[in-house]
Every structure is written in C-alpha cells, then in structure tokens.
Amino acid sequence: MAFSSSLWSSLFIPNPNRNNRFSTFSPSSPATHKLSTTTFAIPPLSTATAADVTGAIDGTTIAVVSGGFVAGLTALLSLTDPERRRREQAEEVGGDDKEVVKEYFNNNGFQRWKKIYGDTDDVNRVQRDIRLGHSKTVENALMMLKEEGSLEGVTICDAGCGTGSLSIPLAKEGAVVCASDISAAMVAEAEKQAKEQLESSVIPKFVVSDLESLDGLYDTVVCLDVMIHYPQSKADGMIAHLASLAEKRLVLSFAPKTFYYDALKRVGELFPGPSKATRAYLHSEEDVERALRKVGWTIKKRGLIATQFYFAKLIEAVPM
C-alpha cells in the first residue's frame, strides 16, 4: 500500500524534496552495485486544488503542513482523540488493525487504490503523483532483482501483491511467482489482470492471505508498501517471518520515520476525512536494520523514492 502525503487547501507548502524528485539507490558497501538515478518534474504544489487533495485523502494519506503550522497544529492533538475513530472501526468489524485493513481494502479502499494503481485517467493530480511514486518503487524493485541476473525460474513471493503491479512484470521475466494479499478483492483484480496480460503457463499463483500466514521457501521475498500497516512492535516479527521464507533475498519498502515526517503524520490525524480508515505507521531505517540483523540478515542496497506526494525507502537484504 502506497504511503503518501497530500496537501490540505492553501495552508500547505512543498515537501522538502519538491525540487529533487528522485529514486536513488546506494550500496551498503563499495563492493555492491549502484542503481540508476531518475529525476522527474512534478507540478508545484500551488497547482494542487482542494478537490485534488480531498480526493486523495484516505487511510494511508497524511495531510502535510510546513513551517509554523506544524508546531501549532500538532499542539492541537492534545485536544483531540485521533485514535477513537480507529477503535470504533475495529469494533464495527469485530477485530483489530488487521481486520480494519482487510475490511477497508475489500471495499472503499479497493475501489480507490485500484484506480490509483491502474492506468485510468479518472484520477486527480495528487492521485496521479502517488501512482507515479508507486510505479517507481515497483520499477526499482524490479531493477534490484534483475541486477543479479535473469529471473527465469527464480521463485519469488510477492507478499501484499495488491492488484499485481509487481507480480505481473516478474512473471513476464520468467519468475515463478506466488502472490498474496489480505484483500480478496485485490487478489481477484490481480488475477484478472494477469490472465489478460500473460500466457496461462506463467500466471502467478494468487492466494488470499495475511503476511503472518504465509509459508513455504522462496529464492526471494518482496513486500512493498505493506509495513505501513504494522506498528514497529509487530513489524519486527513480520520482518523476521518474511526473512524465514526467503533463502537469498528480501526486498522491502516502507514509509520512512523522521522527525519531520512524523510531525506531519501527527498533524494529518487532525484531518482524517470521511474515508481515512486505517492507521499509518512510519518506520526508521535503523529499526528495520536492527530487526533484520536480529535474524541474521543485513542490508545490501538501500534508497529513497520520492515524488511530490509519495515517499518510501526501498531496501534489499541478504543473509549475513
């Protein structure tokens, strides 16, 4: 699931990377390779209308405020209860965060993100930019995987496959793909897209499953934009579990936790919007690296994908 930051009316000014839209990767040691750098031009924030912003707000969207507004509006959190609505939603579906996520992405969230992940023109400027950011994450993950050689016959688990934006390109490269998602609606759409684009002999195996229930052994496990649904206490266990399924490589993307982004996230909780249905958790690269080292893995490559409204860290980890 993509992590995005959206503007709220005229209060908002550019995120700190607005003049440097990039997707860069750097090796953890001089011996490793370096992926290419891509620069793109994104319209300035002043061109984003209120309708654009409103249409983009959902469970993984953060309202972005800069300058004095961050401090002032963050202080208002002490007068609000941003968690109450989440608790009420969890009670409605009879479960915890996981049930809320499943319910959301089988219903309103599915319709919204199917549109963002797709190629329809029925998206506003913010959603189109989020689509661009997610596609760059997919593109760079694919580059990471192909750097080591052909993917022909390589077994890959795409954990949290969404509508198949990575699973299908992997299958086209000859990989043997098992793709899963907690949302039955997402899996059905991914399978539909795969049947339209691929020969029957290379269609991935699609399953409806949460991450914790995945089993088997694969050459590589990939999990893009899913950690946003896990607090760090649970993310550690999820990372360990995914690493236990991978024999050679683990590729993860996550919303980076920094002082600035964390402040923006807290401010965003003041403006939940009618469709904001899931919690969004940020993760520091240090915490992710610590969780990997705990189970005997180390980061080999790392980088950042950033557009106007989307930002994610992408790492490749290997056994020590």
Side-chain angles (χ1 to χ4, degrees):
M1 185 51 48
F3 174 70
S4 59
S5 57
S6 59
L7 306 182
W8 185 67
S9 190
S10 59
L11 291 178
F12 295 87
I13 63 176
N15 94 31
N17 295 318
R18 69 166 288 187
N19 294 318
N20 185 21
R21 301 291 168 262
F22 60 92
S23 173
T24 62
F25 287 85
S26 60
S28 293
S29 67
T32 55
H33 295 89
K34 187 172 184 177
L35 296 186
S36 62
T37 299
T38 304
T39 303
F40 7 173
I42 303 295
L45 297 193
S46 59
T47 67
T49 66
D52 290 339
V53 173
T54 301
I57 294 177
D58 67 11
T60 55
T61 305
I62 292 175
V64 175
V65 186
S66 294
F69 286 112
V70 171
L73 289 178
T74 300
L76 292 179
L77 285 171
S78 62
L79 304 177
T80 65
D81 184 5
E83 288 295 299
R84 187 174 69 179
R85 184 163 181 259
R86 304 297 199 281
R87 290 195 300 269
E88 291 172 350
Q89 288 169 329
E91 290 170 3
E92 287 175 8
V93 298
D96 53 12
D97 272 3
K98 187 189 298 185
E99 292 303 316
V100 172
V101 169
K102 182 192 295 184
E103 177 74 10
Y104 175 69
F105 287 109
N106 274 326
N107 294 286
N108 292 341
F110 168 67
Q111 295 301 329
R112 179 179 298 275
W113 289 95
K114 174 187 173 185
K115 185 167 65 173
I116 292 175
Y117 290 157
D119 55 11
T120 174
D121 291 329
D122 184 26
V123 289
N124 60 44
R125 289 178 232 181
V126 175
Q127 291 170 330
R128 184 173 285 107
D129 182 75
I130 293 169
R131 175 191 290 172
L132 173 62
H134 177 73
S135 69
K136 292 305 297 180
T137 297
V138 169
E139 178 184 324
N140 280 299
L142 196 59
M143 287 172 60
M144 273 184 169
L145 297 173
K146 291 169 64 177
E147 267 200 339
E148 304 300 322
S150 172
L151 296 180
E152 188 73 37
V154 175
T155 57
I156 300 178
C157 175
D158 183 8
C161 66
T163 58
S165 55
L166 177 63
S167 299
I168 293 172
L170 286 173
K172 287 180 178 178
E173 293 290 332
V176 179
V177 182
C178 177
S180 70
D181 200 280
I182 195 173
S183 164
M186 288 284 191
V187 169
E189 178 64 21
E191 193 163 18
K192 174 177 172 289
Q193 294 290 332
K195 288 178 179 177
E196 291 175 358
Q197 299 180 45
L198 300 169
E199 297 292 332
S200 59
S201 60
V202 296
I203 290 177
K205 175 185 177 183
F206 290 101
V207 296
V208 179
S209 173
D210 57 33
L211 298 186
E212 293 85 349
S213 300
L214 292 175
D215 57 14
L217 279 178
Y218 307 87
D219 294 321
T220 299
V221 173
V222 183
C223 187
L224 302 183
D225 293 345
V226 177
M227 282 178 60
I228 195 166
H229 301 299
Y230 287 78
Q232 190 60 50
S233 58
K234 293 185 178 179
D236 285 7
M238 186 267 282
I239 290 171
H241 178 59
L242 293 177
S244 74
L245 306 177
E247 295 188 303
K248 297 179 181 178
R249 290 187 288 183
L250 175 61
V251 176
L252 299 172
S253 73
F254 55 93
K257 182 176 184 178
T258 65
F259 177 81
Y260 183 78
Y261 288 148
D262 192 45
L264 300 184
K265 174 183 178 296
R266 295 183 66 204
V267 171
E269 290 173 343
L270 292 171
F271 310 99
S275 63
K276 191 168 184 178
T278 63
R279 290 183 178 92
Y281 298 101
L282 311 185
H283 299 280
S284 72
E285 190 169 335
E286 292 76 15
D287 283 339
V288 173
E289 188 161 16
R290 174 188 49 75
L292 286 165
R293 286 188 177 278
K294 222 161 135 183
V295 292
W297 287 65
T298 187
I299 296 177
K300 180 181 179 183
K301 298 171 190 163
R302 64 187 82 208
L304 173 71
I305 294 88
T307 65
Q308 191 73 67
F309 305 101
Y310 173 102
F311 40 95
K313 294 288 293 188
L314 181 64
I315 64 167
E316 177 185 347
V318 297
M320 290 181 183

